[in-house]
Amino acid sequence: MALVCGAALAACNPTKKAGDDASSPLIGKATVKAENGIMTPEILHSFGRVSDVQISPDKVKVLYGVTYVSIEQNKTNRELFTMNVDGSGKKQITQTPKGENNAVWIKRGAKIAFLSSESGSPQIWEMNADGNNRTQISNVDGGIQGFTYSPDEKKVMYIKMVKFGERTADRYADLPQASGRIVDDLMYKHWDHWVEEIPHTFVADYDGSSLANDVDILGDEPYECPMLPFGGTEQLAWSPDSKSVAYTCRKKTGKDYSVSTNSDIYLYNIETKETINLTEGMMGYDINPLFSPDGKYIAWQSMERDGYESDKNRLFVMNLSTKEKIYVTENFDYNTDYMVWNTDNQSIYFLSCVEARTHIYKAYIHTREISKLTSGDFDYDQFALADDLLIALRHSLSQPNEVYSVSLKNGEATELSFENKEILAQLTMGKVEDRWITTTDGKQMLTWVVYPPNFDPNKKYPALLYCQGGPQSTVSQFWSYRWNLQIMAANGYIIVAPNRRGLPGFGKEWNEQISGDYGGQNMKDYLSAIDALAKEPFVDADKLGCTGASYGGFSVYWLAGNHNKRFKAFLSHAGIFNLEAQYLETEEMWFANWDLGGSYWDRSNTIAQRSYANSPHRFVEKWDAPIMVTHGELDYRILASQGMMAFNAAKLKGLDARMLIFPNENHWIAQPQNGVLFQREFFRWFDAHLK
């Protein structure tokens, strides 16, 4: 068993004080002591979380952030670092209690702009490149969610929340303390909040020290820009001449919004304030515009079909003079997940997940030729171009994000940041193996198998089947602070993580098979994977468990009623239990309509009727193994009532069951102490039933 910082978790962080927050230790880099090389929940939350690499204008310096966690304080803090592109000269340039986000180089690299809540709400600040001379630039009422400077640095574009809809007090001024919400249309809640304000994008003049003449580029339009729940500055772009802004927007509200994914790329003229729709007639998600360096082209990611949020994410480019559209990845059967223009204005570097590994590719926009730059058992993340290098984030199932340089000549990668070197050096990671397993319909399915540290082939180990959420979200070389396969293995389990039907990275046909087939072939794929591993002499076939979240949680509930005595224990987080209830409880109806086929009351819809006939709640009479349920009460994607129904059903059947409810968490578990609690209960549950 490992021990982190003894009994006092406060010792995990330095105790430097900082100005206006002198009562609490400054959250910084953790000091960890691991026993026997084994990862614990406390160690997992001690890793520095590296993110957001930015290259200086002269291509010499790298700027990035690291988020540190304090379990004791139950919060995080993000600090900024700089280094040379070869990894030398690394320097931490901030040490503050409020954290710095959205950091970018400005003024030819002499300064850095960033968001900080030091003055009470998130505002734009600037400082010298060495971290000195911090100065507040904006004073926007309610704060700012993100920003970008125009290329000529005469304007700043920023995101701010604005009021949406009418409050009860607006209608009845004499009832100011009435708590009731009056709802007249759909999309009244989203993700984890009631929709009473939405993001808008503003453009303001910038004189080098402050903002003025702020203009809402949507005016009075009641639409999100960027789009909730995850959209940020990546959905906005400045033209190189600073005269226009491209933005992403789905210009719909209420029921129309809830059933459609039809967003578009709009071009807003700063001087005339005129807006044109560049993607009119393209019916799916069109997001993340990006101008070529010479301003002649604009690239974006596009899905073809309205209502299908997991459609192929295509790379499109438009000639802004002729309005000709080029479908660059037409002959490439995989998604475009991130992109950066090359300096030649003729090619684009992009990320794509192929066979459960996310790598960097290069696309030539006119020939539509695609070449692969990197390879290996890891995933690349966001990256930036620096002359003959890409500076990228990279992680794997065995390592969190670190900064790497990638040669444009041969794809060779060199680690630069080494943020977590000291922690990783103390840990023994389990071997990760890729297996191709034959499915019931004769297909080959890649399955990750993670072995316990210090694996002994002469022993028998319990095994956990990991069921992925999404449902269309690949089981790649991901690193997670909740569904971390290495910490599962470190607790003495063989981990079986299949890329079952309905996941991207294996072509369009494989990805789309799951739609309208919940409880179908993908469940057979899960059973094929666990059956194949259960035959191994080092797996104890009498001690198999099953776990997953979201659609993975649905999978757990479904398998609990259809596993034919394979599993001895289940654990589901944020899972769908009753599909009929889910159809009317969720917010983004396009998802339910596409994946389930439609409403349950449409008796003539054979796809929908098959979906609802396969709802996990219809198989409760066959539940025969202990089951644990976890859920967040702020989860409006899959309401906590789904978990409560499942728990109640298990208890009423007389099964051993446990429920862990988080009143202040949404679909994820974001708060540090809740994250540790989840991990502790996760292993307490499975250890009790599988060991």
Side-chain angles (χ1 to χ4, degrees):
M1 179 177 180
L3 180 68
V4 182
C5 305
L9 289 170
C12 286
N13 293 292
T15 56
K16 297 177 182 177
K17 307 296 180 178
D20 60 350
D21 196 30
S23 61
S24 300
L26 180 63
I27 301 173
K29 191 178 182 71
T31 301
V32 166
K33 180 176 174 56
E35 291 188 2
N36 302 319
I38 301 301
M39 191 191 306
T40 65
E42 294 80 7
I43 290 177
L44 180 61
H45 285 274
S46 295
F47 284 105
R49 306 181 185 189
V50 181
S51 61
D52 197 16
V53 291
Q54 302 286 331
I55 302 299
S56 61
D58 61 6
K59 312 299 183 185
V60 172
K61 293 279 189 180
V62 180
L63 168 67
Y64 63 99
V66 181
T67 299
Y68 297 110
V69 177
S70 169
I71 299 172
E72 182 194 40
Q73 296 183 47
N74 198 33
K75 62 182 182 180
T76 63
N77 182 42
R78 190 169 186 272
E79 303 287 9
L80 299 179
F81 292 76
T82 60
M83 63 181 169
N84 298 320
V85 292
D86 64 359
S88 65
K90 185 168 73 172
K91 180 182 179 182
Q92 182 175 344
I93 61 171
T94 62
Q95 277 190 305
T96 67
K98 296 296 184 181
E100 291 80 19
N101 294 282
N102 196 171
V104 294
W105 297 97
I106 59 169
K107 299 179 181 177
R108 299 183 179 180
K111 287 185 176 290
I112 293 169
F114 57 94
L115 283 181
S116 172
S117 298
E118 187 174 331
S119 61
S121 63
Q123 301 292 341
I124 303 171
W125 290 65
E126 292 179 2
M127 64 184 173
N128 294 337
D130 63 3
N132 293 320
N133 194 24
R134 295 164 65 105
T135 305
Q136 185 173 340
I137 299 301
S138 70
N139 190 22
V140 175
D141 185 38
I144 288 172
Q145 277 67 53
F147 71 91
T148 59
Y149 282 57
S150 62
D152 64 9
E153 296 188 357
K154 293 181 179 179
K155 294 185 182 295
V156 171
M157 176 165 53
Y158 66 83
I159 303 165
K160 167 185 162 59
M161 302 301 289
V162 300
K163 182 181 177 183
F164 176 82
E166 189 179 55
R167 306 289 177 273
T168 302
D170 295 333
R171 184 172 296 181
Y172 302 108
D174 61 328
L175 302 175
Q177 297 184 54
S179 62
R181 291 182 172 96
I182 302 169
V183 177
D184 294 314
D185 208 344
L186 296 184
M187 289 311 298
Y188 51 89
K189 59 180 174 60
H190 199 186
W191 192 247
D192 60 2
H193 63 278
W194 290 81
V195 182
E196 295 185 337
E197 55 181 15
I198 57 174
H200 269 204
T201 297
F202 292 73
V203 171
D205 293 333
Y206 171 65
D207 63 5
S209 61
S210 62
L211 306 185
N213 304 317
D214 306 44
V215 175
D216 185 340
I217 67 173
L218 266 69
D220 294 329
E221 292 183 336
Y223 311 122
E224 301 170 354
C225 177
M227 299 186 300
L228 294 172
F230 303 123
T233 55
E234 76 284 349
Q235 294 190 0
L236 312 168
W238 282 102
S239 62
D241 62 8
S242 302
K243 294 181 179 180
S244 301
V245 168
Y247 67 87
T248 307
C249 189
R250 175 171 40 204
K251 296 199 172 184
K252 300 176 185 293
T253 61
K255 179 182 176 182
D256 291 339
Y257 179 113
S258 76
V259 299
S260 175
T261 60
N262 184 17
S263 63
D264 285 295
I265 305 298
Y266 294 86
L267 190 63
Y268 173 83
N269 187 292
I270 299 295
E271 182 179 347
T272 67
K273 297 180 173 54
E274 294 177 340
T275 301
I276 60 172
N277 186 347
L278 295 178
T279 58
E280 190 167 6
M282 300 181 76
M283 300 308 296
Y285 272 133
D286 291 288
I287 61 172
N288 301 349
L290 194 64
F291 287 93
S292 61
D294 62 7
K296 294 181 179 179
Y297 299 95
I298 189 168
W300 72 98
Q301 294 163 255
S302 175
M303 294 187 184
E304 183 177 8
R305 289 165 283 185
D306 189 8
Y308 185 22
E309 70 171 14
S310 297
D311 207 349
K312 178 186 174 184
N313 218 357
R314 308 170 297 173
L315 173 56
F316 264 79
V317 170
M318 176 185 285
N319 183 316
L320 289 169
S321 296
T322 66
K323 299 300 185 288
E324 175 194 5
K325 300 187 187 81
I326 304 170
Y327 179 7
V328 180
T329 56
E330 185 173 9
N331 301 316
F332 185 71
D333 201 21
Y334 307 96
N335 288 335
T336 299
D337 295 321
Y338 182 83
M339 57 192 180
V340 169
W341 276 96
N342 197 2
T343 54
D344 63 5
N345 300 289
Q346 302 298 309
S347 57
I348 293 172
Y349 294 101
F350 69 97
L351 291 177
S352 185
C353 185
V354 178
E355 294 189 350
R357 302 160 179 90
T358 301
H359 282 287
I360 302 172
Y361 293 77
K362 186 178 184 179
Y364 296 86
I365 64 174
H366 294 296
T367 66
R368 295 184 296 178
E369 176 189 353
I370 308 294
S371 61
K372 186 179 181 182
L373 179 62
T374 61
S375 61
D377 285 345
F378 32 77
D379 287 352
Y380 280 94
D381 205 335
Q382 176 242 347
F383 59 87
L385 182 61
D387 292 333
D388 60 346
L389 295 171
L390 292 175
I391 303 299
L393 296 175
R394 198 179 90 179
H395 57 259
S396 72
L397 285 168
S398 304
Q399 177 182 294
N401 262 350
E402 294 285 356
V403 182
Y404 284 75
S405 66
V406 179
S407 169
L408 295 182
K409 294 180 181 179
N410 55 25
E412 289 185 2
T414 303
E415 185 173 351
L416 304 179
S417 54
F418 295 99
E419 171 63 35
N420 294 295
K421 179 180 179 180
E422 293 83 0
I423 299 177
L424 290 169
Q426 297 185 57
L427 299 176
T428 302
M429 294 292 183
K431 182 182 76 169
V432 177
E433 176 182 274
D434 60 332
R435 291 198 180 197
W436 290 89
I437 291 172
T438 302
T439 62
T440 57
D441 59 347
K443 307 289 186 182
Q444 292 297 301
M445 174 178 62
L446 188 150
T447 298
W448 296 114
V449 180
V450 186
Y451 293 83
N454 306 310
F455 170 72
D456 183 348
N458 297 312
K459 291 183 178 180
K460 281 188 175 292
Y461 294 87
L464 293 178
L465 174 68
Y466 169 73
C467 301
Q468 178 71 316
Q472 287 155 298
S473 176
T474 189
V475 185
S476 64
Q477 280 282 317
F478 69 99
W479 176 272
S480 171
Y481 288 96
R482 181 158 50 98
W483 297 99
N484 188 288
L485 304 191
Q486 282 288 359
I487 197 173
M488 295 182 194
N491 278 267
Y493 294 94
I494 300 289
I495 309 304
V496 183
N499 277 276
R500 44 85 179 151
R501 222 62 54 94
L503 298 183
F506 299 89
K508 182 178 179 180
E509 180 183 350
W510 189 274
N511 184 53
E512 295 193 359
Q513 192 282 329
I514 196 172
S515 299
D517 193 37
Y518 279 26
Q521 181 60 49
N522 70 102
M523 294 300 166
K524 296 176 184 177
D525 291 347
Y526 277 136
L527 294 175
S528 294
I530 195 65
D531 286 349
L533 267 297
K535 295 175 183 176
E536 293 287 357
F538 52 79
V539 171
D540 189 336
D542 293 325
K543 295 181 178 179
L544 305 180
C546 178
T547 190
S550 196
Y551 181 81
F554 165 95
S555 304
V556 171
Y557 291 144
W558 193 92
L559 289 168
N562 294 277
H563 69 110
N564 295 321
K565 306 293 184 181
R566 286 175 172 87
F567 298 105
K568 293 298 186 290
F570 296 90
L571 188 152
S572 171
H573 174 74
I576 304 169
F577 172 72
N578 184 323
L579 284 176
E580 292 185 7
Q582 171 69 9
Y583 184 79
L584 294 180
E585 287 179 343
T586 196
E587 4 83 301
E588 295 179 350
M589 293 306 303
W590 65 77
F591 174 80
N593 283 332
W594 191 280
D595 267 37
L596 301 180
S599 62
Y600 62 82
W601 55 82
D602 184 356
R603 303 298 180 186
S604 65
N605 186 330
T606 56
I607 294 177
Q609 292 309 309
R610 181 178 65 184
S611 294
Y612 297 110
N614 271 290
S615 176
H617 82 282
R618 296 187 179 276
F619 303 102
V620 169
E621 73 274 9
K622 295 192 290 182
W623 281 17
D624 57 7
I627 188 164
M628 181 173 174
V629 173
T630 73
H631 221 113
E633 289 192 87
L634 295 181
D635 187 351
Y636 298 155
R637 179 64 44 89
I638 301 173
L639 295 191
S641 56
Q642 293 279 332
M644 293 175 185
M645 283 189 285
F647 173 75
N648 291 357
K651 295 304 291 185
L652 288 169
K653 277 188 58 65
L655 295 175
D656 185 2
R658 181 177 299 152
M659 183 166 62
L660 175 59
I661 287 289
F662 298 96
N664 55 351
E665 298 284 7
N666 56 29
H667 202 56
W668 316 128
I669 301 172
Q671 298 180 53
Q673 291 193 14
N674 283 340
V676 173
L677 174 62
F678 172 83
Q679 295 284 355
R680 290 178 181 176
E681 285 297 302
F682 182 98
F683 295 114
R684 185 167 77 95
W685 177 257
F686 279 122
D687 288 354
H689 295 287
L690 302 182
K691 291 184 178 179

